[in-house]
């Protein structure tokens, strides 16, 4: 209901030319919109997680809107420098992708490249070294594939009934059980993958086929190097996609992530994105100690020259957003009207 009212209001503002006035205003020129994307579907991932995946056709439409509306898509580093110097061009935008999944290589990058837009990838690196599907994601995806049924062979995997696959929350409870069990038993990446393969077998899913297609895989080292050489900007997203609450472990995540990116890209990453959008005040001095100069959240908003550089907002664009909502954020109307709804971080 609220969403329909929001869309109708944005439509009216667009029709009467108000959106364009805001887009070309001095107010908007002093602000930067950082777009956040995650995965682009290879198959049906957007139906499983619409807040995480979008179809390639939707991404193409978004990029066409950026071209048609003559938004100024800037490289992240340059945009942040110009934001501080208060000399951004009109309608400035930055495009970022989180995680660096292999669907970025195959589906998203070719589209972004065809538009000539610069792009930043916040790359997590553990699963880049270890070329298997991301454990929690692949478990969740496979359970979704068998949604509506019961997992009869769950006890063989150490799972406690009821193993109802009918709702998202009941499926996520099973994923949590699997993750807790893996952590309690200190399973290695390889052992977790064996567990995922056993779950696939219990669900009668062809796990080898999933591996062949590299569904839910992070880009491998060769793909990262190739894209870095082609001009993609790779930045920090924690080695194991986590932000521990103690300083030594937190900084180790940054350090390991940076080490790998340095060797793969021949550049020194200094921009960070909080995994799952989760941040705490104590992270800020730890990031500064690691010479990180910017960090992005999943809080919706436009960045201003006064925004803390380690707490930069972003608009998380998903399949659930309409084109009119997307344009509302590009123009600045959505932020101006305080249509700020907490984006669900992934
Ligand atoms: Zn992430």
């Amino acid at each position: 209901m609220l969403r329909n009212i929001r869309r109708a209001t944005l439509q009216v503002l667009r029709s009467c030319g108000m959106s364009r006035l805001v887009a070309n205003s001095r107010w908007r020129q002093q602000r930067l919109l950082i777009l956040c994307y995650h995965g682009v579907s290879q198959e049906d991932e957007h139906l499983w997680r619409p807040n995480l995946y979008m179809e390639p056709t939707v991404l193409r439409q978004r990029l066409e809107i950026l071209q048609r509306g003559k938004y100024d898509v800037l490289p992240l580093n340059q945009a942040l420098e110009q934001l501080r110097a208060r000399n951004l061009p009109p309608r400035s935008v930055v495009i970022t992708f989180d995680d660096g999944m292999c669907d970025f290589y195959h589906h998203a990058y070719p589209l972004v490249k065809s538009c000539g837009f610069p792009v930043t990838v916040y790359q997590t690196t553990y699963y880049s070294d270890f070329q298997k599907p991301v454990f929690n994601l692949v478990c969740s995806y496979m359970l979704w594939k068998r949604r509506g049924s019961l997992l009869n062979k769950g006890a063989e995997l150490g799972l406690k009934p009821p193993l109802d696959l009918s709702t998202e929350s009941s499926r996520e409870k099973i994923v949590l059980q699997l993750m807790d069990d893996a952590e309690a038993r200190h399973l290695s990446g390889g052992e977790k993958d064996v567990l995922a393969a056993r779950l696939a077998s219990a669900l009668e899913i062809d796990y080898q086929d999933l591996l062949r297609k590299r569904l839910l895989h992070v880009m491998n080292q060769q793909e990262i190097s190739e894209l870095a050489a082609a001009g993609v900007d790779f930045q920090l997203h924690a080695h194991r996609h986590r932000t521990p609450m103690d300083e030594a472990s937190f900084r180790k995540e940054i350090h390991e992530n940076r080490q790998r990116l340095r060797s793969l890209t021949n550049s020194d990453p200094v921009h960070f994105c909080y995994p799952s959008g989760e941040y705490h005040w104590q992270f800020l001095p730890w990031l500064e100690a690691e010479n990180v100069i910017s960090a992005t959240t999943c809080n919706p908003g436009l960045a201003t020259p006064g925004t803390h550089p380690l707490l930069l907002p972003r608009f998380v664009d998903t399949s659930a957003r309409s084109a009119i909502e997307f344009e509302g954020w590009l123009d600045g109307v959505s932020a101006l009207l305080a249509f700020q709804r907490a984006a669900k971080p992934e």
Side-chain angles (χ1 to χ4, degrees):
M1 179 64 177
L2 201 62
R3 171 160 281 189
N4 288 341
I5 293 171
R6 190 164 55 230
R7 285 177 184 174
T9 308
L10 288 169
Q11 192 70 59
V12 169
L13 291 171
R14 174 152 292 273
S15 307
C16 72
M18 183 61 80
S19 299
R20 213 55 199 167
L21 278 178
V22 174
N24 294 325
S25 68
R26 179 101 185 98
W27 179 88
R28 172 66 177 90
Q29 193 176 344
Q30 290 167 340
R31 285 161 173 78
L32 173 66
L33 180 70
I34 306 174
L35 296 171
C36 164
Y37 293 92
H38 287 92
V40 174
S41 297
Q42 288 185 218
E43 294 193 342
D44 53 2
E45 300 95 306
H46 58 284
L47 299 175
W48 158 62
R49 287 245 175 128
N51 284 325
L52 194 61
Y53 275 86
M54 89 174 11
E55 285 177 280
T57 50
V58 178
L59 179 64
R60 184 185 293 117
Q61 286 162 10
R62 302 296 206 243
L63 297 172
E64 283 167 1
I65 288 172
L66 285 167
Q67 284 185 311
R68 219 171 33 239
K70 298 193 167 34
Y71 296 95
D72 209 328
V73 182
L74 302 170
L76 176 68
N77 195 59
Q78 180 189 330
L80 294 178
E81 280 178 7
Q82 290 190 251
L83 175 68
R84 299 288 157 225
R86 297 171 187 267
N87 64 357
L88 279 170
R91 303 178 300 279
S92 59
V93 177
V94 164
I95 302 174
T96 68
F97 277 78
D98 288 10
D99 307 323
M101 305 300 286
C102 85
D103 51 73
F104 176 83
Y105 180 91
H106 291 290
H107 299 288
Y109 179 63
L111 291 173
V112 175
K113 187 184 168 201
S114 70
C115 296
F117 291 147
V119 61
T120 289
V121 176
Y122 290 115
Q123 183 75 47
T124 185
T125 38
Y126 173 82
Y127 275 103
S128 177
D129 296 355
F130 180 64
Q131 275 295 300
K132 296 288 181 183
V134 178
F135 178 67
N136 61 323
L137 295 183
V138 78
C139 290
S140 171
Y141 178 71
M142 292 191 298
L143 292 168
W144 172 80
K145 280 287 207 187
R146 292 290 177 263
R147 60 196 177 279
S149 57
L150 286 169
L151 177 55
N152 294 320
K153 296 178 186 167
E156 293 170 23
L157 300 166
L159 293 167
K160 295 184 207 81
L163 298 170
D164 173 17
L165 307 187
S166 60
T167 68
E168 191 178 338
S169 70
S170 61
R171 291 191 298 270
E172 282 315 299
K173 276 182 194 153
I174 299 173
V175 176
L176 279 178
Q177 271 197 61
L178 289 163
M179 287 169 66
D180 289 347
D181 174 53
E183 197 173 320
R185 293 198 284 139
H186 305 289
L187 297 189
S188 65
E191 288 164 333
K192 283 201 279 190
D193 190 59
V194 170
L195 184 57
R198 287 177 60 207
L199 176 66
S201 165
L203 293 166
E204 296 178 359
I205 286 174
D206 184 349
Y207 195 64
Q208 290 308 314
D209 183 51
L210 204 145
L211 294 183
R212 263 192 305 277
K213 292 173 182 163
R214 292 184 67 220
L215 282 184
L216 306 172
H217 282 58
V218 168
M219 276 189 274
N220 65 30
Q221 295 169 349
Q222 190 187 334
E223 287 162 341
I224 293 172
S225 290
E226 184 187 324
L227 293 194
V232 173
D233 174 41
F234 283 92
Q235 298 293 338
L236 303 161
H237 197 40
H239 181 52
R240 292 171 190 79
H241 200 268
R242 64 187 181 196
T243 44
M245 297 301 286
D246 71 282
E247 183 176 356
S249 307
F250 181 98
R251 291 181 64 178
K252 187 165 177 259
E253 281 293 330
I254 305 288
H255 184 74
E256 291 187 330
N257 193 204
R258 175 178 273 151
Q259 231 179 6
R260 278 158 179 82
L261 290 179
R262 266 187 191 145
S263 74
L264 296 172
T265 67
N266 289 322
S267 65
D268 189 23
V270 289
H271 301 282
F272 178 67
C273 166
Y274 297 98
S276 308
E278 288 171 9
Y279 60 88
H280 297 272
W281 288 103
Q282 65 260 43
F283 294 166
L284 308 190
W286 302 346
L287 288 169
E288 282 165 5
E290 285 294 331
N291 298 318
V292 169
I293 62 172
S294 88
T296 47
T297 67
C298 292
N299 296 345
L302 299 173
T304 74
T307 304
H308 193 303
L310 298 180
L311 293 171
L312 294 168
R314 289 187 300 173
F315 171 67
V316 181
D317 192 15
T318 72
S319 301
R321 306 282 193 174
S322 63
I324 194 83
E325 283 179 279
F326 178 67
E327 286 179 287
W329 277 98
L330 295 180
D331 292 340
V333 182
S334 296
L336 195 60
L337 297 182
F339 282 164
Q340 298 188 10
R341 199 167 58 89
K344 189 181 168 199
E346 293 292 341

